Amino acid sequence: AKSYREVVKIRRLIMKNRIFYPCVIKKEKDIYYANFLDFESCFTDGETLEEVVNNAKDVLTGVLLVMAKKIFLFQKRKKIR
């Protein structure tokens, strides 16, 4: 489990260094789905657009935090075609 301080730290790192990753949000029936193109295991859902955006921020933060702890280099952004 991520501590609040760890989450705040990784979000500050992302904003400080202007690291942005594209996220595709789709609505199917009554559920919104978010998927980050640069990470296979970085996806979430929500009942509202606001909820899925907040969940997407949390899941991306978690993935980047795990990568940082394992000393992986952050992936370069894929170009959207």
Side-chain angles (χ1 to χ4, degrees):
K2 301 174 293 245
S3 74
Y4 178 76
R5 285 184 178 177
E6 289 175 319
V7 171
V8 169
K9 183 177 177 181
I10 196 73
R11 283 191 177 165
R12 283 185 183 155
L13 173 70
I14 291 168
M15 292 309 295
K16 179 181 175 186
N17 293 307
R18 301 286 182 188
I19 301 171
F20 295 98
Y21 292 102
C23 177
V24 175
I25 297 177
K26 295 181 181 179
K27 183 177 181 183
E28 293 181 16
K29 297 188 180 181
D30 292 332
I31 301 293
Y32 290 89
Y33 297 93
N35 182 31
F36 287 90
L37 304 175
D38 295 304
F39 305 98
E40 289 182 21
S41 61
C42 193
F43 54 89
T44 190
D45 62 16
E47 293 181 5
T48 65
L49 185 57
E50 182 180 2
E51 182 182 14
V52 77
V53 168
N54 287 331
N55 292 347
K57 289 176 187 178
D58 289 342
V59 75
L60 178 61
T61 299
V63 167
L64 294 176
L65 183 62
V66 168
M67 290 173 65
K69 283 186 174 182
K70 291 185 177 183
I71 313 175
F72 283 111
L73 296 176
F74 291 125
Q75 299 177 12
K76 291 185 179 181
R77 285 184 31 214
K78 292 181 181 175
K79 294 189 180 193
I80 299 175
R81 298 177 198 166

